[in-house]
Amino acid sequence: MDLIRSTTVFLCLSSIAFSQESMDFDLDPDLLPRPLIIEFSESRLKNMSDDILMHCTSWRVAVEANNLGPWKTIPNECADYVKDYMLGRAYNVDLEKVSKESGIYANSLELRGDGMDAWVFDIDETLISNLPYYSDHGYGLETFNNAQFDKWILEGVSPVIKPSLKLYEEVLRLGFKIILLTGRNEDKRNVTVTNLTHAGYHTWDKLILRGENDREKSATAFKSEKRKEITEEGFRIRGNSGDQWSDLTGTSSASRSFKLSNPMYHIP
Amino acid sequence: MDLIRSTTVFLCLSSIAFSQESMDFDLDPDLLPRPLIIEFSESRLKNMSDDILMHCTSWRVAVEANNLGPWKTIPNECADYVKDYMLGRAYNVDLEKVSKESGIYANSLELRGDGMDAWVFDIDETLISNLPYYSDHGYGLETFNNAQFDKWILEGVSPVIKPSLKLYEEVLRLGFKIILLTGRNEDKRNVTVTNLTHAGYHTWDKLILRGENDREKSATAFKSEKRKEITEEGFRIRGNSGDQWSDLTGTSSASRSFKLSNPMYHIP
């Protein structure tokens, strides 16, 4: 899968740069948390055998189709594959696809006009990207380190995921209420607001983080419970966007859910 | 994506040959409904641009992740891609992956021993394959023709999907009750039983087809209703295997569902 042909690959420009604009922007290296340009050896992908490509694509599709049980790290043999997928064009093509399909669906809906039609967004790897962190940690090859990841989150520099910002602007324009539902702990509220704002997100009805009593709950349980509370308030959750199946499944699910690609980690 | 290198490709031997054995078998061309060996021009895949490969892979992943709205035919530009995927090794690799993951999950479960732990299987593109039919109809490029497809079904020669037969044998061995739930109409019961038996499936607790009153229902509605009846009988649906999201979603869902790959058609 010769997705990457040139010796120099630009790291997903459209998804890792801070920008207040949803459609185009100038690249300002001072705003970027990590060097944007990553050097690839052209030979690396060529050295990946067809068997490995097929096996790792199959694994990635199984992740996206929710066919895998809980997993803690990506398969060793897929380390180069996942890196290439994330840094090449394919990841962004996938994100643009899901953003477009979500937008088509959102536009097909008739809103009741009472302000209770809602769209739920997850945050990490949905609205903003932790790819700079994962690029320093093997793209999911290393076991998750909570303390290190917290340190990264507290920097508040996770870049925007542009296709999601575009969808966000569209559902806002259509009149949906925006509800942000994240597995981040409540003590990250301020940095999360700052980071989201820098990334271009400006309006939401609720920002729900994990409280003290939610710590031990699985993401599926926590998010189901919160969706239940949201619907009990009278909201109709028409759409839900997330990069984890635990953002989308469980109870009180949205009328329709959209799974953003993420082959780097799994949250049960 | 050079998945296919040789000029002659064997059409997924393990998934289109009739066999009563689950692990290995001899190829008997007399038993096969269509010529097994399909000629490929090596240049065809090489002529597929990286852009098309990436676009069509993204489309296929969107299908598998349930991100697409209803669709009637595969994208024109992905005709070669889907054909290559179905006839090359990748489709079978994906089917083996989901069979293996399903088996791991099935083995992890504790059965209550009361004979009420059940596994629900869809039939078409799940237990048996209509690939010979679709190979005559553009692999999903042609609009679905109900009369022609019915004619094919009535031949009763849909070959076994070997990785699914393997899973079936395993869940039977573990003590699950097998429930077959298909969108085929009730008038296909006899040919379905004959076809399944020829394909190697020998035991099931229920074979549920669409009755007269189910004709107008979507697959999601019909299958949800039937799962509800099954659970009301006291069965616990621990697992569910299907190639369509409408086999798996809706209400009274299984504890865990497995999505088999199918980029050829969509049933809402």
Side-chain angles (χ1 to χ4, degrees), chain B residues 147-183:
Chain B
Q148 284 183 346
F149 187 69
D150 266 13
K151 209 175 141 195
W152 154 257
I153 290 292
L154 288 171
E155 289 182 39
V157 293
S158 302
V160 65
I161 292 178
K162 295 271 314 234
S164 296
L165 180 58
K166 194 175 167 187
L167 173 66
Y168 161 90
E169 295 287 5
E170 181 67 3
V171 298
L172 258 184
R173 190 189 67 76
L174 290 167
F176 290 90
K177 288 290 166 61
I178 306 284
I179 297 173
L180 310 181
L181 178 52
T182 175

Side-chain angles (χ1 to χ4, degrees), chain A residues 2 50 58 67 89 94 259, chain B residues 2 50-51 58 67 94:
Chain A
D2 282 347
D50 283 358
S58 187
N67 280 336
R89 283 190 299 142
D94 284 348
K259 169 71 175 72
Chain B
D2 281 348
D50 283 359
D51 277 356
S58 186
N67 280 336
D94 284 348

Side-chain angles (χ1 to χ4, degrees), chain A residues 6-168:
Chain A
S6 60
T7 53
T8 303
V9 172
F10 286 82
L11 174 54
C12 236
L13 297 190
S14 63
S15 66
I16 83 148
F18 274 130
S19 170
Q20 305 292 343
E21 298 160 22
S22 71
M23 293 308 295
D24 51 22
F25 61 95
D26 291 318
L27 191 61
D28 180 351
D30 293 340
L31 288 175
L32 295 165
R34 291 288 182 282
L36 246 198
I37 297 163
I38 293 197
E39 295 291 326
F40 271 105
S41 144
E42 193 173 312
S43 62
R44 195 157 52 82
L45 265 180
K46 285 194 178 154
N47 286 338
M48 209 183 288
S49 74
D50 283 358
D51 277 357
I52 284 290
L53 281 176
M54 200 182 302
H55 162 71
C56 296
T57 302
S58 187
W59 174 80
R60 185 169 72 80
V61 174
V63 169
E64 295 308 320
N66 201 19
N67 280 336
L68 298 191
W71 51 277
K72 285 190 188 299
T73 57
I74 64 173
N76 273 319
E77 67 277 16
C78 298
D80 280 351
Y81 173 91
V82 172
K83 179 176 179 178
D84 292 337
Y85 171 76
M86 295 303 296
L87 300 188
R89 283 190 299 142
Y91 176 52
N92 205 52
V93 165
D94 284 348
L95 293 179
E96 286 185 353
K97 179 86 186 157
V98 68
S99 168
K100 188 182 158 194
E101 292 294 331
S102 310
I104 291 169
Y105 166 71
N107 273 282
S108 78
L109 296 175
E110 201 162 323
L111 271 64
R112 216 179 283 177
D114 59 358
M116 299 308 273
D117 289 295
W119 198 287
V120 173
F121 286 96
D122 168 57
I123 293 180
D124 291 293
E125 269 54 72
T126 300
L127 295 183
I128 53 179
S129 170
N130 299 303
L131 187 52
Y133 173 84
Y134 281 96
S135 73
D136 283 346
H137 295 273
Y139 303 90
L141 197 61
E142 293 177 19
T143 310
F144 183 71
N145 183 312
N146 206 48
Q148 283 183 347
F149 187 69
D150 266 14
K151 209 174 141 196
W152 155 257
I153 290 291
L154 288 170
E155 289 182 38
V157 292
S158 302
V160 65
I161 292 179
K162 295 271 314 234
S164 296
L165 180 58
K166 193 175 167 186
L167 173 66
Y168 161 90

Side-chain angles (χ1 to χ4, degrees), chain A residues 1-3 5 50-51 54 58 64-65 67-69 89-90 93-94 97-98 101 245 256 258-259, chain B residues 1-3 5 50-51 54 58 61 64-65 67-69 89-90 93-94 97-98 101 245 256 258-259:
Chain A
M1 202 190 295
D2 282 347
L3 303 184
R5 284 241 163 110
D50 283 358
D51 277 357
M54 200 182 302
S58 187
E64 295 308 320
N67 280 336
L68 298 191
R89 283 190 299 142
V93 165
D94 284 348
K97 179 86 186 157
V98 68
E101 292 294 331
W245 280 99
R256 199 164 149 202
F258 294 91
K259 169 71 175 72
Chain B
M1 204 190 299
D2 281 348
L3 302 183
R5 284 240 163 114
D50 283 359
D51 277 356
M54 200 182 302
S58 186
V61 174
E64 296 307 320
N67 280 336
L68 298 192
R89 284 190 298 141
V93 165
D94 284 348
K97 179 85 187 159
V98 67
E101 292 294 330
W245 280 99
R256 199 164 148 201
F258 294 91
K259 169 70 176 70

